[in-house]
Amino acid sequence: MKRFMPIKKFIPQSANPVKDIKNTLHKNLEFTALEQYKLIRANLDFTLPENEKCPVIGVTSSIRGEGKSTTAVNLAYVFAEKGSRVLLIDGDLRIPSIAKKLQIHSAPGLTDLLRGKGKESFDFQSYLLDNWFVLPSGDIPPNPSELLGSSRMENVLKQLKEVFDYIIVDLPPVNIVSDAVSISGLISGMIVVIREDYTEKKELERCFRQLKLSNVNVLGCVMNEAKSGKATYGKYRKSRNYKYYRSYESHEKDSE
Ligand SMILES: Nc1ncnc2c1ncn2[C@@H]1O[C@H](COP(=O)(O)OP(=O)(O)O)[C@@H](O)[C@H]1O
Ligand SMILES: [Mg+2]
């Protein structure tokens, strides 16, 4: 296997990545929030297919603003904190936000790799920790959905899986565009983010109906900004235990 040695490193513009005003991102997370993300990490390790060399985890939700990108950044951070080699990919090729959140350049990035630019697939990575790399979106393409599900994407992921332990892909919402569904066949599974007091039940039902129809492997749900119970931040539940998912199942039975 090739030694892990990125050729060109793009260092964040600021040595101290963005100080989110709400303290929602990695280094600035409150202790309890960080602990919740670590719990999600632990649960994911149980849920992910055993013996998979480099799981690729997609992060999606039903609509915009539920906290997909925030969750993707923080999950990547806690996996990297444990010492794993982690790559966070901005797969939201319509409204990319990872570069902005982490104060790195948004291009070159994934779309350049998909166009076959860059001799080595890891030419374009930024790094935040020694073992945490970020592949921003690159320039916005006209056909994100086709690109994400393409054989080019499959090849790019295949190469990247050789050099990382985990890959996390931030994706657009399921109810708005088909991008998340189109990449689903190329990844290990999907995490669905739900924001408390924000996501409407009917949107969530629509989202799960779509994911089920497309045979997407849902690894679990993350309850973002959860206010109930002891924890005040992200919570992770395996989808079969999640109340909305249950009601989705009963809805399916009712309609049979
Ligand atoms: N748990 C949270 N607490 C407070 N603000 C949050 C939380 N999660 C996300 N946000 C804020 O909500 C906005 C949308 O989050 P983002 O992760 O960009 O959503 P999405 O990627 O689903 O569109 C951002 O301004 C983000 O900082
Ligand atoms: Mg986003």
Side-chain angles (χ1 to χ4, degrees):
M1 197 175 75
K2 230 178 270 171
R3 213 180 131 234
F4 180 65
M5 178 70 83
I7 293 166
K8 233 189 288 172
K9 281 183 173 179
F10 290 89
I11 304 163
Q13 289 154 16
S14 137
N16 209 354
V18 69
K19 173 101 177 118
D20 194 284
I21 26 164
K22 294 173 196 144
N23 291 341
T24 54
L25 289 177
H26 55 101
K27 283 212 292 205
N28 305 318
L29 282 170
E30 288 167 19
F31 175 78
T32 44
L34 192 60
E35 285 306 302
Q36 290 300 313
Y37 281 110
K38 286 182 185 172
L39 260 180
I40 296 170
R41 177 187 70 194
N43 288 340
L44 270 172
D45 275 334
F46 282 114
T47 321
L48 284 163
E50 233 179 311
N51 302 327
E52 190 166 8
K53 197 220 148 269
C54 171
V56 183
I57 305 163
V59 182
T60 192
S61 73
S62 54
I63 53 169
R64 269 191 80 181
E66 289 180 87
K68 292 176 287 301
S69 305
T70 306
T71 303
V73 169
N74 292 335
L75 270 184
Y77 175 67
V78 290
F79 273 114
E81 221 199 6
K82 207 180 74 176
S84 307
R85 285 174 299 183
V86 181
L87 176 66
L88 170 65
I89 301 179
D90 195 341
D92 190 337
L93 301 180
R94 294 170 193 267
I95 311 175
S97 67
I98 296 289
K100 199 170 164 200
K101 284 196 197 307
L102 298 177
Q103 291 201 328
I104 58 172
H105 296 287
S106 62
L110 177 62
T111 52
D112 299 274
L113 290 186
L114 293 172
R115 275 192 223 109
K117 296 204 175 149
K119 281 192 254 48
E120 299 288 340
S121 60
F122 32 80
D123 273 7
F124 296 131
Q125 293 151 23
S126 306
Y127 74 99
L128 299 169
L129 298 173
D130 278 351
N131 54 331
W132 178 16
F133 288 76
V134 183
L135 185 62
S137 61
D139 293 330
I140 294 180
N143 55 344
S145 186
E146 287 81 11
L147 274 182
L148 284 177
S150 66
S151 50
R152 284 176 182 221
M153 185 70 197
E154 192 174 5
N155 285 335
V156 166
L157 283 178
K158 205 171 145 198
Q159 284 188 58
L160 294 170
K161 278 158 87 168
E162 288 294 313
V163 283
F164 289 100
D165 298 321
Y166 292 91
I167 298 177
I168 295 180
V169 192
D170 183 30
L171 292 164
V174 170
N175 292 7
I176 320 260
V177 287
S178 61
D179 308 18
V181 165
S182 52
I183 198 182
S184 64
L186 308 179
I187 64 176
S188 317
M190 202 79 85
I191 286 178
V192 181
V193 177
I194 300 148
R195 192 163 184 166
E196 195 166 311
D197 294 339
Y198 181 89
T199 314
E200 287 189 17
K201 189 175 171 181
K202 67 174 182 350
E203 294 290 357
L204 201 54
E205 285 179 337
R206 209 176 128 202
C207 169
F208 275 105
R209 198 175 306 127
Q210 187 56 55
L211 293 171
K212 194 172 183 183
L213 270 176
S214 314
N215 270 327
V216 176
N217 179 23
V218 178
L219 297 166
C221 300
V222 169
M223 194 73 143
N224 186 26
E225 224 183 348
K227 294 169 193 78
S228 49
K230 267 205 289 185
T232 54
Y233 208 79
K235 280 184 170 182
Y236 174 88
R237 303 198 182 152
K238 284 184 78 168
S239 51
R240 64 188 156 84
N241 295 330
Y242 185 65
K243 62 180 176 173
Y244 282 156
Y245 192 66
R246 277 215 302 271
S247 68
Y248 165 64
E249 283 177 336
S250 55
H251 172 85
E252 281 295 289
K253 278 199 194 100
D254 292 348
S255 56
E256 270 170 15

